[in-house]
């Protein structure tokens, strides 16, 4: 009877008190390990080059730059090329972009992410310059 009562107690407690899982915190991503390509989607190649320089000052390895992509994007995007959400979140945070601007497109590229610079480029320049 005692064993049966203890078993019933454990089962009841298991259903009444749900197991609370601790949220897994993303480990900080070392900026020097991030390789990105930069696409200009704002129509201003000079600003794209300026952002590339500011990213390099932050330790980001900008391996390829396309100043003009041929399209105008209203908002900047971070395209995650490796499926590493922590890395994409870190990069978006550095640029001052919300998580909703992260797109996952996994390809076998040498880069971890692609940054598309949209018409909101002044906000990115301010953020990277420490003014925003």
């Amino acid at each position: 009877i005692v064993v049966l009562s203890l078993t019933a107690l454990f089962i009841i407690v298991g259903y009444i008190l749900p197991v609370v899982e601790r949220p897994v915190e993303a480990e900080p991503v070392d900026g020097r390990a991030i390789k990105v390509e930069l696409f200009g989607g704002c129509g201003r190649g000079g600003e794209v080059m300026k952002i590339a320089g500011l990213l390099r000052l932050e330790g980001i390895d900008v391996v390829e730059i396309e100043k003009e992509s041929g399209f105008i994007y209203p908002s900047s995007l971070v395209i995650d090329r490796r499926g590493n959400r922590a890395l994409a979140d870190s990069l978006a945070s550095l640029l001052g972009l919300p998580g909703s601007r992260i797109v996952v497109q996994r390809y076998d590229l040498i880069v971890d992410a692609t940054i598309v610079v949209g018409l909101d480029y002044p906000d990115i320049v301010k953020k990277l310059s420490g003014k925003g």
Side-chain angles (χ1 to χ4, degrees), residues 13-130:
V13 169
Y15 283 108
I16 293 174
L17 300 174
V19 177
V20 178
E21 295 182 26
R22 288 186 187 179
V24 178
E25 293 183 22
E27 294 181 18
V29 178
D30 179 12
R32 289 177 289 270
I34 300 174
K35 290 184 180 180
V36 300
E37 61 183 346
L38 205 55
F39 281 169
C42 62
R44 298 188 177 258
E47 294 298 322
V48 173
M49 294 304 292
K50 183 176 185 178
I51 290 171
L54 291 168
L55 285 170
R56 287 181 174 134
L57 288 175
E58 291 291 329
I60 305 293
D61 187 6
V62 181
V63 296
E64 188 173 330
I65 302 169
E66 187 172 327
K67 292 191 255 184
E68 300 294 330
S69 67
F71 297 99
I72 299 295
Y73 291 83
S75 302
S76 297
L77 301 170
V78 173
I79 303 173
D80 178 3
R81 299 296 190 182
R82 300 273 183 191
N84 185 341
R85 184 63 190 210
L87 186 139
D89 285 339
S90 173
L91 197 52
S93 176
L94 177 68
L95 299 171
L97 301 177
S100 61
R101 302 257 192 93
I102 297 173
V103 178
V104 177
Q105 288 183 345
R106 296 168 103 184
Y107 293 111
D108 291 329
L109 298 176
I110 61 166
V111 296
D112 299 307
T114 300
I115 301 170
V116 179
V117 180
L119 292 175
D120 58 349
Y121 68 88
D123 297 333
I124 293 174
V125 172
K126 284 180 192 174
K127 178 75 173 172
L128 290 173
S129 299

